[in-house]
Amino acid sequence: MIPLFKVAMSDKASALVGQVLDSGYIGQGTKVDELERALAQRLDNHRILTVNSATSGLHLALHLVATETDSARDGEVLATALTCTATNWPILANGMRIRWVDTDPATLNLDLDDLARKITPTTRAIVLVHWGGYPVDLDRLTHILDQAEHKNGTRPRVIEDCADAFGATYKNTPLGGHGNIAVYSFQAIKHLTTGDGGLIVLPDDDLLDRARLLRWYGIDRNGGTSRYKNDILEYGFKANMNDINAAIGLANLDIIDTNLARHRDNAAYYDTELANTPGLQLTERNPDRNPSFMYYTLKVENRDAFTHHLHNAGITTSEIHHRNDQYTATHPYTTPLPNLDTITNHHISIPVGWWLTDTDRAHIARTIKTGW
């Protein structure tokens, strides 16, 4: 079977990890510092912190918002239901309420029209996802927030879930560079993997300083040998990355650009080959965005027949995520989502990654074009 995902691992990773193991120090140390410097340079942003998972990063981001003011924890968070549960569970874990925003059928991102209608004075945050690495229209979002702030007197924080979007840009700027909190994933199958891990990007130095403390129990790691005796102003978490994961990430930075280029080349191939295929719709392409194409999503008629047809041809497919509003845990927040209802039985993703040969992608496109 042609896989939908595959782990990308540099040949240098074993040696770098071995150096860490042989050093006798495997916690957060010099390799984490080195990875953070490399990522800061790559994102052209110094306000970054590695974490042990993107889920921890999202939890930390929501905690920063929930404790920013006395009333914030009682507020609601506008969020998309079409995503991994890792996006939305940190909202509940921080004691905040979810208000679902509908899905944009053209992109499978958050529907900005519905978002604009649902922002209220009690909205404390907006959690959005760049589906498959295709960036949300962040300029339009900023305009919506400007209007909401003028109307309500408050401006919600925005948290961008960039789990699928490492390397993606909006108007030539990497995600995390548009004034919002952003969280990347370095989990096993992501474009850049550290085995497991993530990155949180902060929009100002005050949030960066708080996040740096709260990433490790609220303790200042630079507080000297007696740092445990120093006062802790607020409790924190155990969310830091270690040097083993950082060494894997440093090695994989050597291959990330080559792999990203192949994802994009394969996506461009599909865009051309699958255009105007009966029973199939492609998602949006806007020239102001450079997606990372973690996966390639289609909207198809008779999805069961489509997936069966591709499976018989040795091609893996997946819906990627089940809508989060249909779990018992989120039942109290049920609300009509007509766009998501329309597309929920039609969206499907096909392999687009660096591991595809020219023969593989031609086989996939040809299989789809023969009908199902």
Side-chain angles (χ1 to χ4, degrees), residues 71-369:
S71 61
R73 194 176 289 278
D74 295 326
E76 68 180 14
V77 178
L78 301 184
T80 175
L82 187 60
T83 183
C84 177
T85 52
T87 304
N88 291 314
W89 277 195
I91 300 171
L92 302 180
N94 278 283
M96 305 176 84
R97 293 176 283 110
I98 296 173
R99 188 177 187 192
W100 297 121
V101 177
D102 209 350
T103 302
D104 180 354
T107 63
L108 276 69
N109 285 332
L110 192 116
D111 183 335
L112 293 177
D113 290 332
D114 194 41
L115 175 75
R117 290 189 291 266
K118 289 179 175 174
I119 297 177
T120 72
T122 63
T123 303
R124 297 294 176 246
I126 296 163
V127 178
L128 60 85
V129 175
H130 303 289
W131 178 269
Y134 186 81
V136 170
D137 186 340
L138 294 173
D139 278 359
R140 181 155 180 246
L141 175 62
T142 297
H143 178 68
I144 290 170
L145 291 173
D146 289 343
Q147 291 181 317
E149 185 175 21
H150 178 75
K151 177 182 177 181
N152 300 325
T154 58
R155 189 181 188 90
R157 288 280 190 185
V158 174
I159 299 171
E160 300 177 39
D161 184 337
C162 305
D164 297 330
F166 189 82
T169 62
Y170 177 79
K171 294 193 172 178
N172 298 316
T173 299
L175 301 178
H178 299 87
N180 306 318
I181 302 173
V183 179
Y184 285 96
S185 174
F186 301 147
Q187 188 263 350
I189 61 172
K190 301 302 183 182
H191 289 97
L192 175 66
T193 182
T194 60
D196 204 353
L199 186 78
I200 182 169
V201 187
L202 289 312
D204 59 67
D205 288 337
D206 288 341
L207 278 180
L208 175 67
D209 291 341
R210 270 192 78 204
R212 181 178 287 111
L213 291 175
L214 300 187
R215 175 178 63 167
W216 199 65
Y217 306 121
I219 298 171
D220 183 359
R221 294 180 69 93
N222 297 318
T225 57
S226 61
R227 59 192 177 194
Y228 299 102
K229 297 181 181 180
N230 296 335
D231 190 21
I232 297 175
L233 300 180
E234 57 179 322
Y235 73 86
F237 308 95
K238 180 65 168 65
N240 59 300
M241 183 180 283
N242 63 55
D243 273 8
I244 296 173
N245 293 124
I248 296 171
L250 284 166
N252 286 331
L253 283 175
D254 286 348
I255 63 173
I256 184 63
D257 289 318
T258 299
N259 287 352
L260 277 168
R262 185 61 180 177
H263 279 252
R264 288 170 173 145
D265 187 59
N266 289 336
Y269 176 84
Y270 289 149
D271 286 349
T272 299
E273 290 295 315
L274 299 179
N276 304 313
T277 301
L280 179 152
Q281 294 181 47
L282 303 182
T283 54
E284 176 189 282
R285 300 287 180 269
N286 194 306
D288 64 359
R289 274 153 263 193
N290 192 12
S292 60
F293 293 107
M294 183 69 198
Y295 37 87
Y296 188 94
T297 299
L298 305 166
K299 291 172 286 182
V300 299
E301 296 176 6
N302 197 346
R303 186 173 64 192
D304 288 344
F306 179 89
T307 57
H308 184 71
H309 176 59
L310 266 65
H311 178 82
N312 286 343
I315 304 163
T316 304
T317 62
S318 175
E319 300 166 39
I320 306 297
H321 299 302
H322 182 67
R323 51 190 293 178
N324 290 185
D325 62 328
Q326 294 189 338
Y327 295 117
T328 299
T330 54
H331 180 73
Y333 311 106
T334 300
T335 192
L337 300 172
N339 290 347
L340 183 53
D341 290 341
T342 298
I343 66 171
T344 196
N345 293 320
H346 297 283
H347 72 87
I348 194 72
S349 294
I350 61 175
V352 72
W354 53 268
W355 55 93
L356 296 183
T357 65
D358 288 354
T359 300
D360 288 336
R361 71 185 191 181
H363 170 61
I364 292 169
R366 186 169 57 250
T367 300
I368 292 172
K369 290 193 291 185

Side-chain angles (χ1 to χ4, degrees), residues 11-33:
D11 293 339
K12 299 179 181 178
S14 295
L16 279 180
V17 170
Q19 291 174 18
V20 173
L21 296 178
D22 292 342
S23 74
Y25 190 94
I26 62 175
Q28 180 185 342
T30 58
K31 291 299 182 188
V32 171
D33 294 342

